[in-house]
Amino acid sequence: MSDCLFCKIVAGEIPSKKVYEDDKVFVFWDIAPKADVHLLLIPKVHIASLNELDESGEHDELIAHAMKLLPRLAKEQGLDNGFRTIINTGRGGGQVVFHLHMHLLGGNNLPGFE
Ligand code: AMP
Ligand code: ZN
C-alpha cells in the first residue's frame, strides 16, 4: 500500500532499526520504545489490522509464523523472564498505524495494565 508507513519501512523507503527479516515478516525497533526492549513485528504484506483476517484462512500460515517467532525474538533480546505482546486493533483499541503489528515488550519499565 503506497501511503502506508510500515509498507515503506518494509520497502526500505523509510529507515528502521531492523532486527529480523524473512520472506513473510519484518521486525524492527519501535521508534519510541515504551520499555527496555520494544520491537514491532509486521507482515510484509499489507494487512490493516486483525479486523482484516477472515475465515478464508488466507493469512493463517503467516499469523502462525509470526506468533511462533515472538518467543524466539524475545530470547534473542535476553528476555528470559518473559515478555509482553500487544496488538492494538482499531482507533478504539489504540491503533495508530493501520498496518497490522505485534508489539514485543520486555525488560525494565514495562508498561503495566495491573
Ligand atoms: P499502535 O498504537 O499499536 O498503532 O502503534 C504504533 C507504533 O508505531 C507506536 O508504538 C509508534 O511509536 C511506532 N512507530 C511510529 N512510527 C514509527 C517508525 N517510523 N519507526 C518505528 N516505529 C514507529
Ligand atoms: Zn502497509
Side-chain angles (χ1 to χ4, degrees), residues 1 4 6-7 46 99:
M1 204 191 183
C4 170
F6 286 177
C7 281
H46 182 83
H99 179 129

Side-chain angles (χ1 to χ4, degrees), residues 5-6 9 14-17 28-34 38 40 86-89 93-99 101 103:
L5 174 67
F6 286 177
I9 284 181
I14 289 177
S16 69
K17 213 170 138 192
F28 56 105
W29 274 84
D30 194 292
I31 203 166
K34 312 285 189 302
H38 188 173
L40 299 174
I86 299 172
I87 305 175
N88 296 322
T89 303
Q95 186 174 8
V96 174
V97 179
F98 281 79
H99 179 129
H101 51 282
H103 296 258

Side-chain angles (χ1 to χ4, degrees), residues 4 10-11 19 21 25 27 38 48 57 71-72 77-78 88 111:
C4 170
V10 170
V19 171
E21 177 181 15
V25 301
V27 183
H38 188 173
R72 221 178 91 191
Q77 293 294 327
N88 296 322

Side-chain angles (χ1 to χ4, degrees), residues 17 28-40 74 77 79 82-86 103-114:
K17 213 170 138 192
F28 56 105
W29 274 84
D30 194 292
I31 203 166
K34 312 285 189 302
D36 286 356
V37 175
H38 188 173
L39 307 182
L40 299 174
Q77 293 294 327
L79 301 176
F83 59 94
R84 176 170 296 156
T85 45
I86 299 172
H103 296 258
L104 168 54
L105 298 132
N108 293 322
N109 309 313
L110 199 62
F113 297 94
E114 300 77 16

